[in-house]
Amino acid sequence: MSCRILIVEDEIFVASEIEQVVAEMGHDPVGIAADKKSALRFAGDTEVALVDLNLRDGPTGIEIGKILAQTHGASVIFITANPAQLGTGVPGTIGVVSKPIAERDLRDVVDYAVARRAAAEANPPRRLKLFDWSNDNPIAT
C-alpha cells in the first residue's frame, strides 16, 4: 500500500534524506515543511506525517502533530532529538523515535505507520516509543 507522506523537518539535508527513503519505499512524499504554516498547507493531502519538534518557527512540532492527527486524520510519528519534550505523548499520534535515525529504522517506522493506517497487524519497531491512549490514560510504552 502506497501512502502520501509529509516530512516536517527544518534541516533540509535530513528532510531530503527522509524524502528519498520514503520515495524509494514506493510512497508519495507530498512535501517537506520547515514550519507550522507550510506543514498545514499540506495537511489535506497527508496520510502519514513524520514530524520533528523544533522547527524554523520554534517548538511547533507538537501542535502540528496534534492538528494533523486530530483534525486531518493523519497517522503521526514524531522524529526528534528531544523526545522528552513530548512528555507522555500527544493525543491521536502514534509515538516517537529519537534522532539520529538510521535508514533501516526509518524504513521500519514508515512501514509500521502505513500498516497501522491500513489496520493491518504490525509489530512496532524496536526504537519506536508508542503512546498508549486507551481509556484516555496516556502512558508512553
Side-chain angles (χ1 to χ4, degrees), residues 21-53:
V21 170
V22 164
E24 286 173 359
M25 293 176 72
H27 299 293
D28 177 20
V30 296
I32 294 173
D35 56 34
K36 180 181 172 185
K37 184 177 177 181
S38 55
L40 296 183
R41 224 179 288 135
F42 292 109
D45 295 326
T46 300
E47 293 175 300
V48 172
L50 305 173
V51 182
D52 190 11
L53 297 184

Side-chain angles (χ1 to χ4, degrees), residues 52 59 64 70 74 79 82 89 96 102 117 119 121 126 128 135 141:
D52 190 11
I64 293 166
Q70 294 178 5
I79 300 178
N82 304 294
V96 61
R117 184 157 190 85
E121 279 294 315
R126 178 182 51 82
L128 179 64
N135 302 323
T141 58

Side-chain angles (χ1 to χ4, degrees), residues 14 21 33 37 45 48 52-53 55 65 70 83 85 87 97-98 100 102 104-105 110 115 121 127 134 140:
V14 173
V21 170
K37 184 177 177 181
D45 295 326
V48 172
D52 190 11
L53 297 184
L55 302 165
Q70 294 178 5
Q85 285 181 286
V97 64
S98 296
R104 177 76 238 152
D105 292 327
V110 170
E121 279 294 315
R127 290 203 48 218
S134 58

